Amino acid sequence: MISIYSISALIAAYLFGSIPTAVWLGQAFYGVDVREYGSGNAGATNTFRVLGKKPGIAVMLIDIFKGYTACNLAYFIGLSVTGPQNSTQFVNYQLALGVIAVMGHLFPIFAGFRGGKGVATLFGMILAVNYQAAIICVLVFVVVLLSTKYVSLSSICAGFAFPIGTVFVLQTSVKSEVLYGICVCLLILVTHQKNLERLLKGKESKVYLFKKKQN
């Protein structure tokens, strides 16, 4: 059922996703557009590389919050549209809102449609829809990052952990959630194509969270 409330929620989800956290933070506090440096990406990882840990963490948390908030707009739409909370219909609507938010992050109207790769916003979406799956993704991300120091590889592995964990560990019965998980894998592979090429060539940059890089 389409209503003014459901349409408004979809628009709001896109606008939430379109907030160019890395761009605005970099320009406001450092006089830098992060898209002009590093990987040229308006995301948390490039912010870490260009501006440092504190702004990188801030961007990551806000981008996660964007996806989480967009999905939770479903709670304000009404049962006639979303169905009962935790029902398949409700989860489907949350997924729709989350996908729109991720599209906003990838193609932000507030930043000339040049956005980030959407990993943090995707995680916020997963956190809102299935927090248990989100925990699995975090564990995989942290283990891979601590082992390899590659954020891109950690993001890819965490993305694949979502559908695998949802199906084999959590054994969800919501088919749309599984389909979404597969789409997440494909999206991450597409947005990280250049990273994969650099990884295969041994040219991908590493991120050292707890100590400085040794010269």
Side-chain angles (χ1 to χ4, degrees):
M1 179 179 178
I2 299 176
S3 70
I4 186 65
Y5 299 106
S6 60
I7 294 174
S8 298
L10 291 171
I11 294 174
Y14 173 76
L15 295 178
F16 270 125
S18 286
I19 296 173
T21 316
V23 176
W24 285 357
L25 186 148
Q27 292 177 336
F29 295 99
Y30 300 89
V32 170
D33 185 340
V34 296
R35 296 174 298 178
E36 303 304 321
Y37 301 89
S39 65
N41 192 262
T45 302
N46 199 40
T47 304
F48 269 104
R49 292 195 185 103
V50 177
L51 301 179
K53 295 178 183 178
K54 290 183 178 179
I57 291 172
V59 169
M60 179 181 66
L61 292 177
I62 295 172
D63 285 351
I64 289 172
F65 183 72
K66 288 175 358 184
Y68 182 83
T69 303
C71 284
N72 284 331
L73 289 172
Y75 288 99
F76 303 97
I77 304 304
L79 295 177
S80 61
V81 176
T82 64
Q85 293 180 14
N86 298 321
S87 67
T88 299
Q89 184 178 345
F90 185 85
V91 172
N92 287 343
Y93 200 79
Q94 280 189 305
L95 290 172
L97 290 168
V99 168
I100 293 296
V102 172
M103 290 299 103
H105 182 83
L106 295 174
F107 309 105
I109 192 172
F110 302 125
F113 301 100
R114 290 176 57 203
K117 295 178 180 177
V119 174
T121 307
L122 277 169
F123 177 73
M125 179 181 176
I126 295 171
L127 187 62
V129 174
N130 191 328
Y131 76 91
Q132 294 171 306
I135 292 173
I136 293 173
C137 292
V138 169
L139 291 175
V140 171
F141 181 90
V142 170
V143 169
V144 177
L145 180 60
L146 293 178
S147 301
T148 68
K149 306 297 186 300
Y150 292 121
V151 174
S152 57
L153 182 60
S154 303
S155 299
I156 294 168
C157 291
F160 276 85
F162 174 55
I164 294 173
T166 299
V167 173
F168 296 105
V169 179
L170 303 177
Q171 298 181 341
T172 183
S173 60
V174 182
K175 293 181 180 179
S176 57
E177 197 172 328
V178 178
L179 178 61
Y180 165 71
I182 296 172
C183 291
V184 166
C185 294
L186 295 175
L187 177 62
I188 288 179
L189 286 175
V190 170
T191 57
H192 286 76
Q193 182 179 353
K194 292 182 179 179
N195 301 87
L196 286 170
E197 292 175 359
R198 289 194 294 268
L199 282 167
L200 292 173
K201 295 177 181 178
K203 297 181 179 180
E204 180 71 331
S205 299
K206 292 185 177 182
V207 172
Y208 295 81
L209 295 179
F210 303 112
K211 62 181 180 179
K212 293 183 179 180
K213 183 178 179 181
Q214 299 294 327
N215 292 323

